[in-house]
Amino acid sequence: TSDRIANAEAGGIAGSLGLAATVLLPSADVAGTVRAYAGEGADINAASLSVRADGVQLRALAESFAVGFSGLTTVNILQSDADVTGEVAAFIGAGAGNASTASAPIVVVTGGVVVDADALMAANAVANSVAASLLGLAVSAVRPTAEVSGRTLAYVRDRVDMTAGSLQVRAGTIADRVVYQAETRTFVAGLSLGSAGNFVQADAKISGLVDSFIGAPFGIAPAADATRSLDISGVVDVDAWSGMDATATIDTIGVSGGLTVGAMLTTTDISAITRAAVNQGARINAQGLTVDANGRYDSRSNTESVNVGGLAAFALADAEAKVSGTVDAHVGAHATTSPSATLAVVNVGSGTVDVNAVGDMQAIPDIDSDTVSFGVALSGLRLRAIVTGIVRGYVGEGVEIDAGALNVNA
């Protein structure tokens, strides 16, 4: 298990009868690897085997806060960046970036084998600004960004030789999903008897991977070795369960005696992959096989804005919430690849092979804007909700299945 937390905080107060300016650029990054594994060369004989890697929290927090006041001109420029790029992996055999060799592990247990990877990865960016000017101009330019691009992997590689009562390979479970969160929060206020301008862009993105598999990894050629197999007297389960939330929130208020301008852009995007698979190079003899991939993707962009100008007030708000990710459950070659000559072999006798892919995808943008002026008041608002995600369950090419029943659902 491991906790990895990075905090970057910056704050400033500026005051002047003339010009007051503040520039803050905090950045927080969490990287590194959490691994539990039985690697090549291992020879294990035991009652049971559990290989577990738990990224209890991989969290990056970048926070900025500025207060500026002046007689003539106040300028606050803030950028808060939070990124999580770490990896949590539990596996038996070669690492995911390498080809399996003749030194692949030999595992003999009388009970069950569990390979389990779990993680909470969170990127949080906060940027708050208050700019005030007595007679002149109060301006805030603010941009928080948060992104999670980490990976959570659980796998048993091709060429592993195993005898066991049961086998569970899981990246998350129905009761304890792998969780990825990207969140930005912003409050901006501009106050002046002259003019006020608030310019904010907030981005929250998740592009990570949750992957559970048996066989060769995606992009690695499978090893051809018919002398090695997974001989399981019970059932084999391969599971990937994820919960992903990308949220961007902006709250602004601009008040001036002259001209007030507010421009706000919120963007959230989940392009992550949740995948469970029996890939090519796997050789399984068991009583049954279940492959489940379940992804919950929630993308939300929220903007609240109040703009008041004595002479004129203008507001432009754009909120885009997008889900473009994938939930994939399969046996055999991946849908986007050409099959290798080395087949995946699954023999469950009279048992059942179940392949299930379930995706719950939501994209929800929201804008609440009030624009008031004794002169001219104009507002331009655009909301975009985009769901182009893919949910697929399938038996691909390059596989040989011997079973009493085959169920594929998506």
Side-chain angles (χ1 to χ4, degrees):
T1 63
S2 178
D3 280 336
R4 296 172 183 261
I5 301 172
N7 290 333
E9 298 181 7
I13 299 176
S16 172
L17 294 176
L19 171 65
T22 303
V23 178
L24 302 174
L25 307 171
S27 177
D29 299 283
V30 173
T33 302
V34 180
R35 286 180 180 162
Y37 61 95
E40 295 213 322
D43 191 341
I44 299 172
N45 195 313
S48 62
L49 175 62
S50 179
V51 182
R52 300 177 187 269
D54 190 359
V56 177
Q57 59 175 334
L58 282 71
R59 186 181 298 274
L61 171 61
E63 187 171 7
S64 59
F65 177 69
V67 176
F69 51 91
S70 72
L72 295 178
T73 303
T74 300
V75 178
N76 290 340
I77 299 175
L78 310 180
Q79 180 166 329
S80 300
D81 297 319
D83 294 286
V84 177
T85 61
E87 178 179 291
V88 177
F91 58 94
I92 299 175
N98 302 311
S100 293
T101 72
S103 298
I106 298 173
V107 179
V108 179
V109 299
T110 55
V113 175
V114 176
V115 180
D116 182 278
D118 192 16
L120 165 61
M121 300 189 187
N124 302 94
V126 180
N128 298 321
S129 172
V130 177
S133 173
L134 182 60
L135 299 174
L137 176 65
V139 175
S140 292
V142 179
R143 189 181 183 196
T145 66
E147 182 169 2
V148 175
S149 57
R151 307 197 307 166
T152 303
L153 311 174
Y155 55 92
V156 176
R157 287 296 305 273
D158 47 329
R159 235 174 175 180
V160 171
D161 195 22
M162 181 184 296
T163 302
S166 63
L167 173 60
Q168 297 179 65
V169 184
R170 60 198 189 202
T173 67
I174 187 172
D176 184 17
R177 294 175 183 261
V178 173
V179 175
Y180 292 172
Q181 299 172 339
E183 181 183 20
T184 63
R185 289 180 285 116
T186 303
F187 172 78
V188 178
L191 308 170
S192 176
L193 291 177
S195 298
N198 296 327
F199 306 94
V200 185
Q201 180 177 344
D203 300 317
K205 298 180 180 180
I206 299 176
S207 57
L209 171 67
V210 178
D211 196 8
S212 178
F213 63 90
I214 297 173
F218 183 72
I220 299 292
D225 191 343
T227 66
R228 292 169 173 255
S229 61
L230 307 181
D231 296 315
I232 312 300
S233 59
V235 174
V236 175
D237 289 305
V238 183
D239 301 309
W241 292 75
S242 71
M244 307 200 183
D245 298 281
T247 305
T249 301
I250 295 175
D251 291 310
T252 70
I253 180 169
V255 179
S256 76
L259 171 66
T260 298
V261 177
M264 292 73 62
L265 171 62
T266 53
T267 302
T268 55
D269 186 13
I270 300 177
S271 58
I273 298 172
T274 301
R275 184 168 58 215
V278 175
N279 293 327
Q280 291 193 273
R283 301 182 63 85
I284 298 173
N285 299 304
Q287 295 301 306
L289 171 66
T290 300
V291 180
D292 285 330
N294 188 299
R296 180 186 55 76
Y297 299 167
D298 193 352
S299 179
R300 296 175 183 265
S301 293
N302 306 306
T303 298
E304 293 188 9
S305 177
V306 176
N307 297 278
V308 179
L311 298 179
F314 302 100
L316 175 64
D318 188 315
E320 177 179 292
K322 184 177 181 180
V323 176
S324 56
T326 300
V327 178
D328 180 298
H330 70 270
V331 178
H334 190 274
T336 63
T337 63
S338 298
S340 165
T342 302
L343 301 180
V345 178
V346 177
N347 183 357
V348 297
S350 59
T352 300
V353 174
D354 289 303
V355 180
N356 304 298
V358 177
D360 180 1
M361 302 180 179
Q362 296 186 79
I364 303 174
D366 181 70
I367 296 175
D368 185 356
S369 178
D370 297 309
T371 305
V372 179
S373 175
F374 292 109
V376 179
L378 294 176
S379 296
L381 310 179
R382 182 170 69 169
L383 296 94
R384 289 178 290 178
I386 304 170
V387 178
T388 59
I390 297 171
V391 180
R392 58 192 175 208
Y394 57 98
V395 175
E397 298 181 274
V399 60
E400 177 183 307
I401 296 177
D402 186 353
L406 172 63
N407 301 314
V408 180
N409 301 290

